[in-house]
Amino acid sequence: MKSLNALLVSLACLSLTACANLYESHFQPIKPGMVLTPKAGAELVVVPLPMEEHSLAAQEQPKTHATLGQSSFRTSTRVTARDLEKFSRKIGAERVLSSKRFIESRTNLVTRYHHLHGIEARGWVDGKYTNMRVDGIQIPYQAQEIEDVYEFRATFFQGKAQPPTPLP
């Protein structure tokens, strides 16, 4: 029973790491130790940009918004807009500049398995004519798999608090 519980805990840990949000795991705050908290009722605006324009646009944003940090990574795994939105809300971002660029296609050699269902046959075994049965088996084979690699970059901003206007 203990080994079954250990197996279940291991599977749960593996499933959590397989679903890790890459924006979160590669996030670098603008100031180390910065406390990032969501703002209640804040709207999120995601601005998609070509990678070449990202740096310039990020430099111009601080006039109206405070920079929280940036995520930058390359991957062949699936990254969704929902991943970006979920992490942005988690850190309290109100504006996000988002860029994606194709890098390369890679060809990998992977092992796949073909399942053969039960096979029945008649034949001579050790000088006797007999019926034989082989239950389902997995036959390994090599296959080529093509994966595309993309570069992602996101810069996260939060609106600056406006100074109070003086009363007349």
Side-chain angles (χ1 to χ4, degrees):
M1 186 66 161
K2 288 182 182 179
S3 63
L4 178 61
N5 287 340
L7 176 64
L8 291 174
V9 169
S10 298
L11 288 174
C13 291
L14 283 173
S15 68
L16 289 174
T17 56
C19 299
N21 188 323
L22 292 174
Y23 288 105
E24 184 171 359
S25 58
H26 290 89
F27 181 71
Q28 296 177 345
I30 197 75
K31 296 177 189 171
M34 185 176 181
V35 178
L36 303 170
T37 55
K39 291 174 80 175
E43 284 193 38
L44 175 63
V45 176
V46 177
V47 180
L49 293 168
M51 192 65 75
E52 298 77 25
E53 297 175 17
H54 192 107
S55 295
L56 182 61
Q59 291 173 2
E60 293 189 15
Q61 288 300 312
K63 296 174 185 171
T64 57
H65 290 76
T67 305
L68 299 176
Q70 184 177 50
S71 289
S72 183
F73 55 93
R74 289 182 177 190
T75 185
S76 61
T77 60
R78 187 168 184 247
V79 178
T80 65
R82 185 177 174 123
D83 294 337
L84 178 61
E85 181 180 320
K86 187 175 180 180
F87 178 64
S88 299
R89 291 190 190 287
K90 181 176 181 178
I91 64 172
E94 295 175 47
R95 185 173 182 84
V96 180
L97 302 181
S98 173
S99 299
K100 175 182 174 181
R101 173 173 52 189
F102 173 78
I103 300 297
E104 65 182 344
S105 288
R106 295 182 191 159
T107 303
N108 296 327
L109 195 59
V110 295
T111 301
R112 307 259 177 168
Y113 294 90
H114 180 73
H115 180 77
L116 285 179
H117 297 283
I119 301 171
E120 292 187 27
R122 292 181 181 195
W124 292 94
V125 177
D126 294 331
K128 295 181 184 175
Y129 191 73
T130 184
N131 291 328
M132 294 175 277
R133 176 168 173 80
V134 176
D135 289 327
I137 57 172
Q138 298 283 344
I139 299 175
Y141 67 94
Q142 297 293 313
Q144 287 187 346
E145 180 178 85
I146 297 174
E147 63 183 12
D148 293 333
V149 179
Y150 289 89
E151 178 180 11
F152 292 85
R153 183 179 299 164
T155 307
F156 304 89
F157 301 94
Q158 193 174 63
K160 291 183 180 177
Q162 298 297 325
T165 52
L167 296 172

